[in-house]
Amino acid sequence: MRSDISFKTTDGLTLKGWLYAPVDATAKLPVIVMAHGFTAVKEQYLDRYAEVFAGQGFAVLVYDNRNFGASEGLPRQEADPLLQVRDYRDAITYVSSLDNIDAARVGVWGSSYSGGHVLQVAAFDRRVKCVSSQVPAISGSADVRMAVRPDLLPGLIEAFEADRAAVYAGEQPLLMEVVAEDPKADCALPGQDCFEFFTESGNSVAPAWRNEVTLKSIELLNEYEPGYAIDRISPTPLQVIVALKDTVTVPDAALRAYEKALQPKNLVLLNCGHFDPYLSEFKASSGAAIEWFKRHL
């Protein structure tokens, strides 16, 4: 059963999403809190995960990140990772207050950008009792340097500085495309697999998704290092799901981070690309998460 929900963040925004719960549940439920990755909205297949999690006895809170989709926040289309991490914690506070939720059994799930976020959340928020991090972002600065040619990086830094000055002077923030069909075009997420996933899902299931993001979002990504505290998650059980053919959040970074993590932990290797866990490898990715949450929640 799915219901529309909204909750307030500590800085006063209203974030909107869905609450899933098993039909005819009588006891208080363990809950999984989840949000999407870079620029994505909840309709881009998070409902699939929530449905199968709920089918296994979990309540699931799914919401749009601030500035995206149905949620409030300005500037629109700006992905601030540190604020998104705080929003996860506010989502935990909200859902833990509900009468049908067992606040002692809270798990977090994230994928790609939010896969990095849940590492940060679990490292410092002991209300989290289990975490599953799928194809996680580990180092924003490494991701930027992989996507941008070294000779173009100084120009990008100059663009960050010019955009900051313009916004300070009262102008609107500079927007850029998230994905582009032309491999030579400037965009936030280059690559054919990124283009196909976002445009196909945007056309078919997620009309709220927009192919634009603020330039500042790239600057904030460049400053974000979610993998640094992975060894602080223990004793909270950690699962990391790695796509071995991932060209967006490359597997070697996730594997190095996993080696740094302490027990209890679980590594799942999928022989696929970054976006396949939502689609062709959905059964494998969701099944691994279900097994981990059932074991620890």
Side-chain angles (χ1 to χ4, degrees), residues 48-117:
R48 299 185 71 194
Y49 286 94
E51 287 168 2
V52 297
F53 293 165
Q56 293 296 316
F58 298 97
V60 188
L61 175 64
V62 183
Y63 65 94
D64 278 330
N65 288 307
R66 64 171 61 212
N67 308 337
F68 292 90
S71 290
E72 291 183 347
L74 295 172
R76 299 305 294 173
Q77 302 302 115
E78 183 156 289
D80 186 321
L82 297 183
L83 293 181
Q84 290 179 359
V85 166
R86 294 173 188 170
D87 292 341
Y88 255 99
R89 302 183 74 175
D90 289 339
I92 293 170
T93 301
Y94 160 73
V95 79
S96 297
S97 72
L98 301 180
D99 292 339
N100 64 331
I101 298 301
D102 184 350
R105 292 189 290 164
V106 176
V108 291
W109 180 98
S111 187
S112 194
Y113 214 19
S114 66
H117 298 351

Side-chain angles (χ1 to χ4, degrees), residues 3-292:
S3 56
D4 294 334
I5 60 90
S6 63
F7 63 94
K8 288 286 189 181
T9 66
T10 50
D11 58 349
L13 293 182
T14 297
L15 304 188
K16 295 184 179 182
W18 302 315
L19 182 66
Y20 289 76
V23 177
D24 300 326
T26 56
K28 288 197 171 186
L29 297 165
V31 64
I32 300 167
V33 176
M34 54 195 303
H36 223 315
F38 189 78
T39 80
V41 294
K42 61 186 182 298
E43 291 84 1
Q44 284 166 304
Y45 309 116
L46 291 195
D47 50 342
R48 299 185 71 194
Y49 286 94
E51 287 168 2
V52 297
F53 293 165
Q56 293 296 316
F58 298 97
V60 188
L61 175 64
V62 183
Y63 65 94
D64 278 330
N65 288 307
R66 64 171 61 212
N67 308 337
F68 292 90
S71 290
E72 291 183 347
L74 295 172
R76 299 305 294 173
Q77 302 302 115
E78 183 156 289
D80 186 321
L82 297 183
L83 293 181
Q84 290 179 359
V85 166
R86 294 173 188 170
D87 292 341
Y88 255 99
R89 302 183 74 175
D90 289 339
I92 293 170
T93 301
Y94 160 73
V95 79
S96 297
S97 72
L98 301 180
D99 292 339
N100 64 331
I101 298 301
D102 184 350
R105 292 189 290 164
V106 176
V108 291
W109 180 98
S111 187
S112 194
Y113 214 19
S114 66
H117 298 351
V118 296
L119 302 177
Q120 291 278 283
V121 173
F124 298 103
D125 196 325
R126 291 303 163 190
R127 297 175 299 174
V128 174
K129 297 303 188 288
C130 184
V131 54
S132 180
S133 174
Q134 178 174 284
V135 294
I138 298 298
S139 169
S141 61
D143 290 342
V144 169
R145 279 155 178 75
M146 184 177 68
V148 180
R149 279 181 14 210
D151 59 313
L152 299 179
L153 194 57
L156 179 62
I157 301 300
E158 290 178 2
F160 291 159
E161 295 168 355
D163 184 56
R164 276 180 168 270
V167 171
Y168 187 78
E171 298 180 21
Q172 291 297 308
L174 186 63
L175 291 166
M176 65 185 304
E177 287 187 315
V178 179
V179 295
E181 186 171 16
D182 183 352
K184 297 180 180 179
D186 291 332
C187 64
L189 297 176
Q192 186 65 23
D193 53 346
C194 295
F195 176 78
E196 290 178 356
F197 173 81
F198 279 103
T199 55
E200 290 175 6
S201 62
N203 291 333
S204 61
V205 296
W209 179 76
R210 292 165 54 188
N211 188 19
E212 55 185 15
V213 66
T214 65
L215 179 64
K216 185 178 178 181
S217 299
I218 311 303
E219 182 180 24
L220 295 170
L221 166 63
N222 191 46
E223 300 168 2
Y224 186 45
E225 300 295 326
Y228 87 93
I230 196 169
D231 58 339
R232 302 184 192 180
I233 294 173
S234 178
T236 303
L238 166 67
Q239 178 183 73
V240 179
I241 299 174
V242 178
L244 293 175
K245 297 179 181 178
D246 196 333
T247 60
V248 180
T249 56
V250 292
D252 58 341
L255 293 172
R256 282 196 299 268
Y258 180 81
E259 288 301 313
K260 182 183 173 185
L262 306 179
Q263 295 288 351
K265 62 182 180 178
N266 172 244
L267 177 64
V268 178
L269 302 178
L270 301 179
N271 189 30
C272 65
H274 184 79
F275 299 101
D276 294 317
Y278 306 108
L279 298 167
S280 61
E281 295 297 319
F282 172 74
K283 184 176 181 180
S285 65
S286 62
I290 287 168
E291 191 279 331
W292 192 242

